[in-house]
Amino acid sequence: MGEPTFGVLGALQVRVGGLPVRVGGPKPRAILATLLLQPGGFVSVDQLTEVLWPGGAPRSALANVRTYVRALRRTLAAAGVPIEGLRTESSGYALDVPPDALDLLLFQRRLEQARALRERGESAGALRRYEAALGLWRGGVLQDVPSSVVWDPAVSRLEALRSAAADECLEVRLLRGDHAPLVAELRSRLAEDPLREDLWRMLLRALYDAGRTTEARAGYAEAERLLAAELGTEPSAPLRALGEEINGYAARRRPADPGPVCQLPMDVPDFTGRAAEIGQLEDRLATAGRQPVAVTVTGPPGCGKTTLVVHAAHRMRGHFPDGQLYVDLAGLSPRPREPADVLAEMLRGLGVIDGALPAGLGERAALFRSRLAQRRILLVLDDAAGSAQVRPLLPGTGGSAVLVSSRRRLTGLPVHEIPLGVMAREDARALLGSLVGADRLDQDPADADRVLAGCGSLPLAVRIAGARLANRPGWSLGALAGFLEDERGRLDQLQTGELEVRASAELSYRHLPEPAARAFRAFGQLPDEAVAGWTVAAATGENEEAATGLETLLDEHLVELVDTDRLGLPRYRMHELLRCYARELTEEDDRRVRLRRRTRVMDALTALAQVANAAMPTRFLGVLGEPVAPAGPAAALTEAVRARPVEWFEGERRVLVAAVDRAARLGDVPRAAALAVELASFFDMRGYYDDWLRTHRLVLDAMDEPRDVHAAALLRNLGQLHLYQDRYAESLDSFARSRTLFAALGHLPGEGFAAVGAGSVHRVTGGLDAALTAFAEALELFARAGDRHGEAIARNAIASVWLERGEPRAAAGWLEGALRLSRELGDRHREAQVRRRIAVLHELRGEPGAARAELEGALGIFDELADTHCAAYVQQSIGELCLRQGDAAQASALLVGALVVQRQLGDRRAEARVACLLGELHHATGRKQTARRYFHRSLSTWRRLEARDQAALVDAKLRALH
């Protein structure tokens, strides 16, 4: 079971797929915390108001709460957290959370289970449940969120439950004879609260039952002295009775009888982490009783399967009083052990002499089952080769259990499988600290993280890295981290003594059939991301063979199935260190084979990106490549991509960016450029500006000299991005270079789009004459090229200049033409843009109702097309309209929402304008402190943009407040 989605038992936490989700802003975090403390219960707006504004709520509290809840919904939905349970009720809200999705509920359920098991006398199960419940606590309740009196009853109740659970857990451990570690924990608890007699009783009982009579007597004397000095009382009757027992019995205990034979290897003294897997193993093994039980631990090489099963076997020895047998099956050696030989070895361990051993496999298996029928034995079978090797070794009846480790999935056996992957980062850090010393780790925490990243949190790799550092006290963590960052030499660094990651990977690889081996090598040239199966097929040039090979790699735990993308395609990932080994193997392939592998993937990605772009709900103001029909395994995806283009781009985004990066660095600039051009429209729609800038700069820097249509398109796209991010000089330069290059190539539409971009820069910066000239030139270019879509864009742009000048009559004709063309072309995105301008036209005419209707229509289209960026601008426009009409509450909600989106997108000019509007709103409603905060935010942003006129206007508004 993974971590719960929501966590309040410590810092406020939201996780999806094991990864943290950042819930931004103190107010949405406080609302989420309040709802989670009362899961499924009604939380009134009054309660939320008290939490958010304990010193007194503003007039806009109700609207602000709604805004914060909407922001919370958007954040959770964007991260993939189900939000159906976040219900809006009359005068409040409620959050329905499944029990497994909130650590608070999970803690309560596990505590109830532990208490039930304790009452039934099942101490082992109760202990596991207590430990699982307490393991959910990461600190104090909501320790990183400012406290509220509204929370006090719930927080106090939870802390009391935690304290009671800890005490009950100690009592169960005492009952089970867990004396040595219990003594240390009880001393620690008593140091915090030395007057608790129940803790003294447990400590003294643990010492006494462990045979440490002298310490027990000294402990009782100390308890007696403390109670007299601090409380003026003598010990209670139960504590006195225990003291009399201790002080009246000083005879030495008889040595315990030797237990049954135990063949288990030595447990790892520094075993770290894996609490969830150990809990699953113990739960399964504890069910052995009337019938035997078998559990397999499977996972990739180096994940610590043997270490885990041996550790779990040691922990469960008490459940199997008749003994523990251990056999290394040598499954991945050149000669795996024969079941008949293994049975002979185990029968000898059970007391059968050689003369009584049957000759055949069947007879030995029957005798083995007979010997186990009336016993409780734990069998540990390490490194199994497969089901055929394990099947004869399983018991038939009785209370025994079998614990198997294997790199392969053991199909066809009556076993419970527990998959084992890499360690959680916290557990990997703890393991490294146990090897090199916690102090050494704390001195360089950043370098420690780099070492763990280089090891991929693989236990074998972490153990090797720790051993190398421990044996080299002069080495720094940073030195080893630097070595591990070099992928080509990483596996050379991860070897010490008999431990070696490369050898571990090679053991698995050399047993693969050829289709699986080809798929394994293909991962060495694929991006270091989760990839769809068709990508592997494209790399190998196969289809059915690639699918078969992937299934084998899954069974061998050499790749993992991480998720299913938005088109319903399974996605596979290979661990970083296995990928390093795959890269070593690909470097041994012929250079032409490596080239074919890489170009097949790049060509398939580009062709599918062109299919997706042709079907996008928005048309980008750029130039795309000539479509090429996908071939090979990618051809089967064409219809799915055409039906859901945005989802395909979203699912493949990281792979696409990595592919551009790799191709540019390897010198295949034409292919890198062709793919980068196709990505800009999606990046523009979703606001992925970092990916946009990275891919375009990387390709342009790799070109000797920009001279072809791809270079011109990349420059135009880069100009658009600079415009969004207020880098106006860079934007104009990129548009000018792009237009010159398009003109030299005779590419009229490209030249027109570059002219539109330059005109937009002039309009935003106040150069309206220059903007009008550029837009008119663009319109002429589009007309000459017969590009009606471009004509609609140019007409709308020309209208925007006239609207800026406050001349609605001059703008009306241009807008009418732009709207007609957009509808004839079926371009709904362009239609929404034109309707946004028409709203300005209506407002200039003094028709606010008509303006609001146009804006609502535009917002509906942008929401339908999932264009968050454009929707934020329209939301801002509606907010401004509401502000001018005196609807302060509605204006505040809309403008705050727009401000959040603009900040996320990095549009500082829009952010500065909206912040100023919010300042004006709060000033008008008498909230001067809030107004001052927004004005300061606006002023600092305008100053960073070096927009002196706008900064002066905001500065004047600030002065007016004083």
Side-chain angles (χ1 to χ4, degrees):
M1 182 188 298
E3 287 188 275
T5 303
F6 299 101
V8 297
L9 304 182
L12 178 63
Q13 177 175 276
V14 183
R15 300 179 72 86
V16 175
L19 300 176
V21 175
R22 184 178 180 276
V23 179
K27 294 291 194 290
R29 285 172 58 80
I31 289 175
L32 178 60
T34 308
L35 293 171
L36 290 175
L37 282 176
Q38 302 180 54
F42 173 77
V43 178
S44 69
V45 172
D46 290 341
Q47 288 177 292
L48 293 176
T49 301
E50 177 62 27
V51 171
L52 299 180
W53 299 281
R59 294 181 188 176
S60 61
L62 178 59
N64 290 347
V65 168
R66 290 172 180 166
T67 299
Y68 296 139
V69 172
R70 281 199 297 271
L72 181 61
R73 286 183 192 275
R74 283 198 301 270
T75 299
L76 296 179
V81 180
I83 59 171
E84 296 81 5
L86 182 50
R87 295 181 284 109
T88 301
E89 299 185 2
S90 177
S91 303
Y93 302 88
L95 179 58
D96 296 324
V97 185
D100 290 337
L102 174 60
D103 58 6
L104 182 158
L105 296 176
L106 198 54
F107 166 72
Q108 292 174 338
R109 187 175 69 181
R110 289 177 179 176
L111 180 56
E112 291 171 359
Q113 293 170 343
R115 287 170 170 171
L117 289 167
R118 183 186 180 197
E119 289 178 3
R120 295 201 299 266
E122 298 178 25
S123 59
L127 179 59
R128 288 193 297 274
R129 290 290 89 189
Y130 276 121
E131 290 177 342
L134 292 168
L136 292 168
W137 285 79
R138 297 167 284 108
V141 177
L142 296 170
Q143 63 184 24
D144 66 335
V145 182
S147 61
S148 170
V149 294
V150 175
W151 301 345
D152 285 347
V155 172
S156 299
R157 183 181 63 83
L158 284 171
E159 294 289 359
L161 273 179
R162 179 189 190 182
S163 179
D167 292 343
E168 292 166 18
C169 183
L170 290 172
E171 291 172 359
V172 173
R173 290 175 60 188
L174 180 62
L175 181 66
R176 292 181 52 75
D178 191 13
H179 296 135
L182 193 57
V183 167
E185 289 187 33
L186 285 166
R187 288 193 191 280
S188 176
R189 294 285 298 277
L190 279 166
E192 298 172 1
D193 195 354
L195 301 179
R196 284 187 53 180
E197 290 195 39
D198 57 338
L199 295 179
W200 277 111
R201 286 199 304 274
M202 284 190 280
L203 173 62
L204 299 179
R205 174 57 65 190
L207 288 168
Y208 184 59
D209 288 351
R212 297 159 65 175
T213 307
T214 302
E215 293 178 65
R217 289 175 176 173
Y220 179 76
E222 175 68 10
E224 195 173 42
R225 183 191 65 78
L226 274 172
L227 293 171
E230 298 294 333
L231 301 178
T233 63
E234 64 179 6
S236 62
L239 185 54
R240 282 202 313 274
L242 180 57
E244 291 169 0
E245 179 183 356
I246 291 171
N247 286 297
Y249 177 73
R252 183 171 298 173
R253 296 173 180 271
R254 293 183 300 169
D257 294 332
V261 63
C262 175
Q263 298 178 349
L264 296 178
M266 183 178 179
D267 194 8
V268 175
D270 55 5
F271 187 90
T272 305
R274 303 296 195 189
E277 290 85 353
I278 290 173
Q280 292 180 59
L281 280 173
E282 293 183 349
D283 286 344
R284 291 294 185 186
L285 295 176
T287 62
R290 295 182 180 179
Q291 290 185 335
V293 63
V295 184
T296 65
V297 176
T298 61
C303 70
K305 299 179 292 295
T306 297
T307 303
L308 176 65
V309 298
V310 169
H311 181 71
H314 276 284
R315 287 173 61 100
M316 294 297 290
R317 284 183 62 188
H319 284 264
F320 302 97
D322 295 322
Q324 302 86 40
L325 301 176
Y326 173 88
V327 182
D328 182 356
L329 296 180
L332 289 178
S333 70
R335 297 184 62 184
R337 297 197 61 183
E338 294 294 332
D341 295 336
V342 174
L343 284 166
E345 179 180 327
M346 291 195 294
L347 285 168
R348 292 188 190 99
L350 294 174
V352 178
I353 61 174
D354 285 353
L357 285 174
L361 172 63
E363 292 85 354
R364 288 182 178 181
L367 178 59
F368 182 64
R369 292 193 294 270
S370 176
R371 285 294 177 125
L372 293 185
Q374 302 301 321
R375 301 186 184 186
R376 292 179 61 83
I377 296 278
L378 176 60
L379 314 175
V380 179
L381 307 176
D382 189 26
D383 190 18
S387 302
Q389 187 187 35
V390 172
R391 185 175 288 106
L393 313 180
L394 300 179
T397 58
S400 295
V402 185
L403 188 51
V404 187
S405 74
S406 177
R407 297 191 187 186
R408 301 181 176 121
R409 289 186 172 87
L410 305 182
T411 57
L413 295 180
V415 298
H416 304 284
E417 181 180 355
I418 296 179
L420 194 64
V422 299
M423 299 183 84
R425 177 58 65 93
E426 294 78 9
D427 290 345
R429 174 182 282 276
L431 174 58
L432 184 62
S434 70
L435 295 165
V436 305
D439 293 343
R440 194 170 173 188
L441 218 61
D442 293 340
Q443 290 174 1
D444 299 300
D447 287 334
D449 287 339
R450 291 170 58 209
V451 169
L452 295 175
C455 296
S457 294
L458 189 71
L460 174 61
V462 174
R463 190 168 289 280
I464 291 172
R468 296 198 72 190
L469 286 166
N471 294 332
R472 295 166 176 80
W475 265 25
S476 68
L477 285 161
L480 179 58
F483 293 141
L484 293 176
E485 285 173 353
D486 176 15
E487 288 189 352
R488 293 181 178 275
R490 187 178 298 174
L491 295 183
D492 293 328
Q493 297 298 325
L494 293 175
Q495 54 184 341
T496 181
E498 296 180 355
L499 300 177
E500 184 178 357
V501 172
R502 180 185 287 106
S504 182
E506 185 182 2
L507 274 175
S508 291
Y509 174 76
R510 71 186 184 194
H511 286 83
L512 294 175
E514 188 52 34
R518 285 196 295 270
F520 184 90
R521 289 195 299 273
F523 275 92
Q525 286 187 259
L526 292 177
D528 190 9
E529 302 289 347
V531 297
W534 72 265
T535 315
V536 180
T540 60
E542 301 165 344
N543 203 341
E544 293 182 6
E545 292 84 352
T548 303
L550 275 173
E551 287 300 315
T552 302
L553 295 182
L554 272 176
D555 289 340
E556 298 285 336
H557 289 283
L558 295 174
V559 297
E560 60 175 333
L561 183 61
V562 291
D563 61 12
T564 301
D565 64 23
R566 302 186 184 193
L567 266 64
L569 303 173
R571 302 190 74 84
Y572 305 87
R573 176 180 283 125
M574 181 176 282
H575 189 276
E576 296 95 320
L577 298 179
L578 289 174
R579 194 185 296 272
C580 285
Y581 181 62
R583 287 195 183 104
E584 290 184 358
L585 295 175
T586 60
E587 289 173 0
E588 299 172 3
D589 291 337
D590 183 81
R591 185 183 64 84
R592 290 170 295 180
V593 172
R594 297 199 304 271
L595 179 61
R596 283 198 300 271
R597 204 181 275 146
R598 188 176 71 248
T599 56
R600 279 195 296 256
V601 173
M602 280 294 293
D603 292 345
L605 287 171
T606 304
L608 286 173
Q610 290 170 342
V611 170
N613 268 323
M616 285 282 277
T618 64
R619 181 158 179 182
F620 180 56
L621 292 180
V623 178
L624 303 175
E626 291 297 326
V628 176
L637 271 74
T638 303
E639 290 307 315
V641 172
R642 188 175 288 126
R644 304 179 70 185
V646 178
E647 289 85 350
W648 182 81
F649 269 127
E650 195 69 66
E652 297 290 352
R653 176 171 68 92
R654 294 181 181 277
V655 172
L656 291 163
V657 172
V660 172
D661 187 310
R662 188 172 180 82
R665 295 184 189 281
L666 291 176
D668 195 353
V669 180
R671 282 189 169 85
L675 182 53
V677 165
E678 299 296 332
L679 302 183
S681 58
F682 171 68
F683 293 157
D684 182 30
M685 180 181 183
R686 286 299 174 91
Y688 291 129
Y689 293 165
D690 290 342
D691 288 341
W692 188 346
L693 183 63
R694 175 186 169 192
T695 53
H696 281 52
R697 279 211 186 281
L698 187 67
V699 176
L700 286 169
D701 290 345
M703 291 179 172
D704 294 332
E705 181 182 350
R707 59 167 59 94
D708 62 6
V709 70
H710 284 147
L714 290 169
L715 285 167
R716 204 231 73 89
N717 297 348
L718 209 52
Q720 189 73 24
L721 177 59
H722 290 324
L723 172 59
Y724 287 161
Q725 298 189 319
D726 308 311
R727 296 190 291 266
Y728 302 119
E730 295 175 61
S731 181
L732 276 177
D733 178 66
S734 294
F735 284 134
R737 293 172 63 196
S738 172
R739 184 172 178 180
T740 300
L741 193 49
F742 274 128
L745 295 167
H747 197 297
L748 295 177
E751 190 180 352
F753 283 123
V756 168
S760 298
V761 178
H762 289 308
R763 181 180 59 79
V764 168
T765 55
L768 298 183
D769 290 338
L772 196 59
T773 300
F775 292 149
E777 291 172 353
L779 180 59
E780 181 186 353
L781 289 165
F782 289 134
R784 287 167 55 196
D787 188 335
R788 300 176 71 219
H789 175 75
E791 287 187 52
I793 292 169
R795 288 178 179 276
N796 191 42
I798 291 170
S800 71
V801 176
W802 291 114
L803 293 172
E804 286 278 347
R805 287 177 167 171
E807 299 186 37
R809 293 182 61 185
W814 295 108
L815 289 172
E816 181 182 345
L819 184 62
R820 184 183 66 254
L821 278 172
S822 300
R823 286 174 171 170
E824 288 174 358
L825 294 167
D827 188 345
R828 301 197 67 226
H829 192 273
R830 182 55 43 193
E831 177 188 343
Q833 294 282 20
V834 176
R835 293 182 68 177
R836 184 177 166 217
R837 302 291 185 204
I838 293 173
V840 178
L841 179 75
H842 284 303
E843 194 171 4
L844 288 173
R845 289 173 172 173
E847 302 165 349
R852 178 70 179 264
E854 291 294 339
L855 288 172
E856 295 286 0
L859 183 60
I861 293 174
F862 287 137
D863 283 342
E864 182 182 336
L865 299 178
D867 189 336
T868 307
H869 194 177
C870 289
Y873 285 121
V874 178
Q875 189 172 334
Q876 174 185 334
S877 297
I878 299 175
E880 293 183 56
L881 186 61
C882 290
L883 181 59
R884 286 190 286 272
Q885 296 300 309
D887 187 352
Q890 182 73 359
S892 177
L894 289 165
L895 291 174
V896 168
L899 184 65
V900 170
V901 176
Q902 302 298 7
R903 185 169 182 81
Q904 290 173 345
L905 294 172
D907 191 335
R908 293 180 296 168
R909 179 172 287 270
E911 181 186 345
R913 177 168 173 76
V914 176
C916 182
L917 290 169
L918 284 165
E920 294 172 359
L921 185 151
H922 288 291
H923 186 194
T925 52
R927 292 184 289 273
K928 292 188 176 182
Q929 188 62 34
T930 305
R932 186 176 292 111
R933 187 171 68 249
Y934 277 118
F935 281 142
H936 274 298
R937 179 172 177 177
S938 177
L939 179 61
S940 63
T941 305
W942 285 127
R943 284 175 173 169
R944 286 198 301 272
L945 293 172
E946 297 181 358
R948 294 182 179 84
D949 292 343
Q950 291 90 336
L953 288 172
V954 179
D955 188 47
K957 295 177 188 294
L958 262 174
R959 293 178 186 276
L961 280 175
H962 296 291

